[in-house]
Amino acid sequence: PQIAVSVYGPDFFGHDVVRGYGAVHIPFTPGRHKRIIPMFVPESTSTLQNFTSWFTGRRPEFTDPRVVAQGEGREVTRVRSQGFVTISFNVV
């Protein structure tokens, strides 16, 4: 099993935009586990699309959350690294 994380936040104009996506496998062994999830955000393919998305507040984002958890089809998607999220698990 894995957990997929989507992080959203306001931009300069107050629009709610995606700040990053990431996924990590959930550990099976009992105890406390800490995982660091590298986050990424989709990018526009051209400079014109980049400017238009910035101006309108409609930035590229995934419509299906399964895309984040699966590696299939993501190799053709242009993404940019966007920091890390730390998550703690308490497995019983």
Side-chain angles (χ1 to χ4, degrees), residues 3-92:
I3 187 167
V5 178
S6 301
V7 179
Y8 290 85
D11 66 356
F12 182 74
F13 298 111
H15 299 114
D16 198 26
V17 296
V18 65
R19 294 293 182 189
Y21 296 107
V24 68
H25 289 278
I26 298 173
F28 284 117
T29 57
R32 184 177 175 92
H33 303 278
K34 180 174 133 180
R35 298 288 187 257
I36 298 173
I37 306 172
M39 303 300 284
F40 60 91
V41 64
E43 288 242 316
S44 299
T45 55
S46 72
T47 307
L48 179 61
Q49 285 178 338
N50 194 14
F51 175 73
T52 305
S53 66
W54 175 81
F55 186 72
T56 61
R58 302 279 303 166
R59 304 225 172 112
E61 60 182 79
F62 296 128
T63 56
D64 188 5
R66 290 179 289 182
V67 173
V68 177
Q70 298 173 349
E72 186 178 330
R74 257 194 11 219
E75 66 272 1
V76 295
T77 306
R78 183 180 291 185
V79 295
R80 175 176 36 97
S81 180
Q82 191 70 16
F84 299 93
V85 169
T86 304
I87 193 167
S88 295
F89 297 100
N90 290 316
V91 180
V92 181

